[in-house]
């Protein structure tokens, strides 16, 4: 399993002037270490994105966990067993009900 690596992106254009680098660095420095980990597993990223578009965040988490535990594979992790997103072959065998 590949370890996710932090990612960055270009800022989106704004109509107002963004804070200077020094101001931003100062504000972020007060927060502490900040990292955004990209999701290296495409199926997992797509599943999460689709769920978040149609339901609230708390409901999306519940549906995601149910989806994974019902159709995915359970693996042992550092904090115990957890279910991962089902394989494409598994999804293709499911009916629309």
């Amino acid at each position: 399993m590949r370890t996710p690596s932090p990612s960055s992106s270009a800022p989106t254009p704004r109509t107002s002037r963004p804070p200077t680098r020094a101001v931003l660095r100062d504000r972020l420095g007060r927060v502490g270490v900040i990292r955004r980990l990209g999701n290296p597993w495409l199926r997992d990223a797509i599943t999460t994105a689709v769920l978040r578009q149609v339901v609230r965040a708390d409901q999306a988490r519940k549906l995601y966990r149910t989806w994974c535990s019902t159709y995915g594979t359970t693996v042992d992790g550092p904090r115990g067993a957890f279910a991962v997103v089902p394989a494409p072959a598994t999804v293709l065998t499911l009916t629309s009900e």
Side-chain angles (χ1 to χ4, degrees), residues 8-72:
S8 62
S9 62
T12 56
R14 298 175 187 255
T15 55
S16 63
R17 188 174 162 100
T20 64
R21 288 184 183 192
V23 171
L24 184 58
R25 185 175 33 248
D26 180 58
R27 289 179 187 170
L28 292 176
R30 285 186 251 146
V31 173
V33 175
I34 297 173
R35 290 203 173 108
R36 182 200 178 280
L37 298 177
N39 191 336
W41 300 283
L42 180 60
R43 293 186 326 263
D44 186 57
I46 291 171
T47 299
T48 304
V50 169
L51 287 174
R52 289 298 307 267
Q53 288 182 5
V54 294
V55 294
R56 295 182 330 267
D58 57 334
Q59 185 64 20
R61 278 189 293 276
K62 182 179 177 184
L63 283 171
Y64 176 81
R65 289 179 185 132
T66 301
W67 165 253
C68 292
S69 63
T70 303
Y71 301 106

